[in-house]
Amino acid sequence: MAIVSAKEMLVKASQEKYAVGAFNITSVVQMGAIIEGAVAKNAPVIIQTSVTPARFLKPEVVVAVFKALANEVSIPVCLHLDHCTDVDFCKICADLGYTNIMFDGSHLDFEENIRRTREVSDYCHAIGGITVEGELGTVSGVEDQIKVASDDAQLCDPEKSFEFVERSGIDLFGPAIGTAHGIYQTENPVIDFKRLGEIYQMLNTPLVKTPLVVHGGTGLSEPTVRNLIQNGGSKYNVSTNLKYILMDSTHEYMTGHPKEYDPGKLDKHVKMETRKRIEYWIDLLGSEGKAL
Ligand code: 13P
């Protein structure tokens, strides 16, 4: 059994300056591919579901498949609920066996964000072994039910970070620093590395207490990814890239095999392409060989 808490995994990553890939899935084929890729690279890994796929597949199904796959391997893995705006659904997923829960109150005012995030933190901590992620500021783009226009995106105020983390009781913190969900509208998005570094210093010196999360991982250049990690990002979220791999590899296979009616072969192709991509991310994030 390799299921660990996200915080345990990410404190180590922060200290050693690498990041753990946190990969959003919509299918169990992707889940298998992620775990296989991480095993091949001996890397810790986080599987995440946004709320829509969690509801569609049913959280009890996601947890059951996750546990069955995790039980077969010895690398550290955890299951994260991503960007949930519904306190009750956070609690349901925590009860069912998700190991990490993100309450996304970034659309709320500061006090209400703290109040609801705290409710989720207290609930998850009382169960034991479940860690909680919170967000301050807003990440532009589209992630499941969260849509933020780039003009409305607000970067996280470093001064407020400390208060937010203390009062909300969270274990992991996702500050908005200029990254965006989905496909970047510009070739050179403006990322505020300095702000990320300041927040990291404020929360994590002298000891790492609250690892930082980078949202909007798809589409950034490799030097940008490394810079984000150097400035304190230790959970690196990738969703859109895996959706493209799933859809493109499906189209590619169907075009190449128009008369073949064997879904197992299609699944195998999608799984292989997804796994290759996971291995690419693990190399870039520096988490290869870190599954200790
Ligand atoms: P991308 O869709 O840009 O990869 O962002 C993923 C993410 O941040 C999920 O929380």
Side-chain angles (χ1 to χ4, degrees):
M1 164 83 80
I3 299 171
V4 301
S5 93
K7 181 163 182 179
E8 188 182 331
M9 207 186 253
L10 297 170
V11 165
K12 180 175 182 296
S14 287
Q15 285 163 342
E16 296 181 20
K17 288 277 180 264
Y18 63 89
V20 176
F23 300 110
N24 288 63
I25 60 146
T26 52
S27 85
V28 296
V29 171
Q30 289 172 302
M31 191 167 351
I34 292 166
I35 294 194
E36 277 184 16
V39 167
K41 290 284 178 185
N42 198 28
V45 78
I46 298 172
I47 309 254
Q48 22 192 63
T49 61
S50 301
V51 173
T52 304
R55 287 192 198 276
F56 179 76
L57 292 170
K58 294 199 179 299
E60 36 287 73
V61 173
V62 176
V63 170
V65 176
F66 169 74
K67 284 190 174 162
L69 294 175
N71 275 329
E72 289 177 342
V73 299
S74 56
I75 53 160
V77 288
C78 67
L79 179 63
H80 168 89
L81 178 68
D82 205 28
H83 287 288
C84 185
T85 54
D86 176 346
V87 171
D88 291 336
F89 194 65
C90 288
K91 292 179 181 175
I92 289 170
C93 290
D95 284 337
L96 286 169
Y98 275 70
T99 58
N100 203 67
I101 302 285
M102 176 186 187
F103 176 73
D104 183 346
S106 57
H107 55 293
L108 303 168
D109 68 41
F110 187 64
E111 287 301 323
E112 192 57 16
N113 188 358
I114 289 178
R115 196 188 67 73
R116 293 196 209 175
T117 308
R118 177 95 224 180
E119 188 179 337
V120 174
S121 298
D122 288 347
Y123 189 88
C124 290
H125 294 160
I127 295 174
I130 303 178
T131 48
V132 175
E133 177 182 331
E135 180 169 309
L136 192 61
T138 42
V139 176
S140 70
V142 179
E143 170 52 41
D144 198 24
Q145 0 102 55
I146 318 266
K147 297 182 183 63
V148 180
S150 53
D151 292 349
D152 294 336
Q154 273 182 358
L155 299 190
C156 171
D157 177 351
E159 297 297 326
K160 292 265 184 197
S161 298
F162 190 78
E163 184 184 349
F164 180 76
V165 169
E166 288 289 303
R167 290 179 57 206
S168 64
I170 53 172
D171 306 282
L172 319 175
F173 182 48
I177 46 146
T179 57
H181 292 129
I183 298 297
Y184 284 89
Q185 304 301 320
T186 149
E187 212 175 298
N188 294 308
V190 181
I191 313 291
D192 200 334
F193 300 106
K194 188 165 163 275
R195 187 179 298 258
L196 180 66
E198 260 175 54
I199 295 169
Y200 183 82
Q201 290 300 323
M202 212 171 270
L203 298 177
N204 290 309
T205 44
L207 288 176
V208 178
K209 281 178 20 199
T210 317
L212 300 185
V213 182
V214 175
H215 284 265
T218 299
L220 296 170
S221 70
E222 293 186 354
T224 298
V225 175
R226 291 192 192 99
N227 211 341
L228 286 163
I229 297 170
Q230 279 315 307
N231 279 286
S234 61
K235 174 174 181 274
Y236 191 89
N237 288 3
V238 178
S239 175
T240 303
N241 182 227
L242 296 188
K243 289 182 190 156
Y244 273 61
I245 297 283
L246 188 152
M247 300 302 290
D248 287 347
S249 59
T250 300
H251 285 307
E252 180 189 278
Y253 193 85
M254 299 297 285
T255 308
H257 304 80
K259 299 268 188 259
E260 185 182 278
Y261 290 87
D262 185 343
K265 288 190 176 164
L266 170 63
D267 285 349
K268 211 166 163 188
H269 179 72
V270 171
K271 190 175 186 186
M272 187 45 69
E273 293 304 307
T274 305
R275 177 179 157 172
K276 278 194 238 159
R277 198 63 193 169
I278 297 301
E279 293 186 25
Y280 160 83
W281 280 112
I282 289 172
D283 285 342
L284 178 57
L285 300 175
S287 57
E288 179 174 12
K290 299 292 185 181
L292 296 172

